[in-house]
Amino acid sequence: MTENPADDLVQTLRKRGAHYVIGAEGRPIAVLLTLEEYEHYLDLLDDEADSQDEGIASRLAQAATQPSDEERINFRDYLSQRHGASPAVSS
């Protein structure tokens, strides 16, 4: 037996593979996560926050639409519009 009761609790949880913390009334009050599960949970929270951001949502919607051939411009024209000057042409 170990000297620290907290160590006994940790060993018991590891042996049983417990995933829930039970309160005095016998109901689950918390969930135990591995570090990997916790990191995944944080990623999901970030994704949820991003999905509610109107700016990101509009950019994603714009990126998802495919322009017709008439709307497409070639890369050099795009660069000239973006930079406001003619792109350098190398031979």
Side-chain angles (χ1 to χ4, degrees):
M1 186 172 189
T2 62
E3 296 177 16
N4 189 349
D7 290 339
D8 290 339
L9 177 61
V10 170
Q11 284 186 357
T12 302
L13 289 172
R14 285 185 181 156
K15 285 179 185 176
R16 296 184 184 223
H19 295 287
Y20 299 97
V21 176
I22 306 298
E25 297 174 0
R27 294 183 310 177
I29 58 171
V31 178
L32 299 176
L33 301 174
T34 65
L35 289 177
E36 293 82 17
E37 290 170 331
Y38 181 65
E39 289 173 0
H40 181 68
Y41 171 73
L42 292 178
D43 287 341
L44 290 174
L45 288 179
D46 285 341
D47 291 345
E48 181 180 355
D50 289 345
S51 71
Q52 294 175 3
D53 184 302
E54 290 180 18
I56 291 175
S58 66
R59 286 185 296 213
L60 288 173
Q62 182 182 9
T65 60
Q66 294 293 326
S68 67
D69 288 338
E70 295 171 1
E71 295 173 346
R72 288 185 170 192
I73 60 173
N74 68 36
F75 188 64
R76 285 186 182 164
D77 291 341
Y78 168 76
L79 286 178
S80 67
Q81 288 177 3
R82 182 175 171 115
H83 298 293
S86 301
V89 179
S90 61
S91 308

